Amino acid sequence: MISKRLFMLFLVPMYFISCNSDVEDGITQMQPSISLIQMEGEGGSVEVSLTNGDWKISGVNNTDGDVRISGDIYSIDNKLIRENYTLSLEGLGRMEAFVGSKGFVITRNTPTSLNIELNENSSGEDFNFTVDLQSANESKKITVEQKKSQGYNFKSIEYTLKQNDGDSLFIRNGEGYKFSVSSPQEFSFSPFTGVEINRKTFFKSNEKDAFVWVKKDSIKVRVPSSIDNEKIYTGKEEEVYTNLTTKFDYGFEQTETITIPSGQSEFYTLIQFHKRTVSYTLYLTNKRTGDVKKIEGKWVEIAPTGKYDIIWKN
């Protein structure tokens, strides 16, 4: 019995020494497995584990000016809790923030894990922020440092026909004219007056960085010239790859002469337009890695066909 008591007296002090030693060595109750994440501009995902689940995300701060970052907060079952709100998360769930041409998604799927996923940083500057963790007794920071993307070079572009693509026709109302004459007389006019007679083209895409990488370079690409039996043909002409509308003057100078009847009369023109929609895939080469990036979208062309109708009103 005496030897057992002596053993217990020896064991207890050793236990407290071990605990105190842990504190001195910096081992705490809330310890993330990673405190510094350094990432290239292309983005990526990092999994962080913690020693226990008794903590929350108290905020996310942009280190440039120490500014709190706002975004959208979701529950674990993907329900929107707060929109465009200062980011924080009490339990499980997800936070998303897109600041210009950069952003991240922070997900806590389990009490002891955290996933930090960064989008590609096309902002032209480094993106640095901290994820602030808080428990009952202490706070920790996970520092995230992302370099700016070095950009891309144009490689090629391909066109295909997908659902709802192809050629179509539509009508626009032209100028209207009213007359009150005592005897029939001739009247000459341009049938294309009243609408903008230009050929317009533009690219569009749902991808957020579809036009960022080539915006400054004014990349010119070949565009479809015709569609025949579901096959797309491109001509020699090139146009700038942009989501801004490019206009080309058609220069219709046609004149129509009609006979105006005596009395009161009125007519207007209906001008036929052509719309062409074609899907595209743009291929870019990453300047740092050499990897190929694909961007998908639509190329749209709207132009007058040169046809029109004269519509008399009773």
Side-chain angles (χ1 to χ4, degrees), residues 24-275:
E24 291 174 1
D25 292 342
I27 300 175
T28 63
Q29 294 299 311
M30 179 183 62
Q31 187 67 36
S33 59
I34 301 171
S35 59
L36 174 61
I37 298 172
Q38 294 178 313
M39 193 169 292
E40 294 290 343
E42 294 77 43
S45 178
V46 176
E47 193 78 17
V48 181
S49 60
L50 289 100
T51 50
N52 65 56
D54 187 21
W55 54 273
K56 66 179 181 180
I57 300 175
S58 58
V60 182
N61 287 310
N62 191 328
T63 55
D64 183 12
D66 193 25
V67 178
R68 292 287 295 271
I69 296 177
S70 297
D72 299 335
I73 305 171
Y74 296 84
S75 65
I76 190 64
D77 55 354
N78 203 35
K79 293 181 180 178
L80 181 63
I81 299 174
R82 290 186 179 272
E83 186 176 9
N84 194 25
Y85 192 79
T86 302
L87 292 178
S88 65
L89 192 64
E90 291 285 341
L92 303 183
R94 178 176 94 253
M95 302 184 301
E96 297 182 353
F98 301 101
V99 187
S101 300
K102 56 195 174 187
F104 57 80
V105 178
I106 299 175
T107 306
R108 186 182 182 186
N109 283 326
T110 70
T112 57
S113 69
L114 196 65
N115 182 272
I116 301 176
E117 181 179 359
L118 272 69
N119 293 349
E120 188 162 13
N121 181 8
S122 59
S123 67
E125 58 186 13
D126 294 347
F127 182 35
N128 303 318
F129 62 92
T130 62
V131 182
D132 302 334
L133 309 179
Q134 183 73 47
S135 69
N137 301 318
E138 61 182 330
S139 61
K140 293 287 183 181
K141 289 182 182 292
I142 300 174
T143 300
V144 182
E145 298 176 351
Q146 185 185 22
K147 297 179 182 179
K148 62 182 179 182
S149 174
Q150 295 181 23
Y152 293 81
N153 291 319
F154 170 74
K155 183 180 180 182
S156 62
I157 190 169
E158 292 180 354
Y159 297 99
T160 56
L161 292 177
K162 296 183 179 180
Q163 187 176 10
N164 299 324
D165 287 354
D167 292 334
S168 61
L169 298 173
F170 65 95
I171 299 295
R172 286 179 177 168
N173 286 359
E175 189 75 30
Y177 300 90
K178 292 182 179 181
F179 301 90
S180 180
V181 296
S182 58
S183 61
Q185 61 184 51
E186 289 188 343
F187 175 69
S188 297
F189 68 103
S190 170
F192 301 106
T193 303
V195 295
E196 194 174 30
I197 302 298
N198 290 320
R199 173 177 171 265
K200 301 176 182 179
T201 66
F202 59 90
F203 292 84
K204 63 179 182 178
S205 175
N206 293 327
E207 299 183 29
K208 294 182 178 180
D209 58 355
F211 303 97
V212 171
W213 306 114
V214 295
K215 186 175 182 180
K216 296 179 181 179
D217 298 331
S218 296
I219 298 298
K220 287 190 173 183
V221 299
R222 290 191 176 187
V223 296
S225 59
S226 62
I227 301 174
D228 186 19
N229 292 325
E230 302 297 314
K231 187 173 181 179
I232 302 169
Y233 295 90
T234 57
K236 294 182 180 180
E237 296 296 326
E238 294 183 336
E239 296 177 10
V240 176
Y241 174 77
T242 176
N243 58 339
L244 301 176
T245 300
T246 304
K247 296 182 181 181
F248 304 87
D249 187 13
Y250 252 68
F252 287 142
E253 298 179 356
Q254 182 175 345
T255 300
E256 177 80 17
T257 300
I258 61 174
T259 300
I260 304 300
S262 59
Q264 293 185 347
S265 62
E266 182 178 354
F267 75 88
Y268 64 94
T269 57
L270 292 179
I271 303 170
Q272 186 183 79
F273 280 79
H274 154 96
K275 181 177 182 181

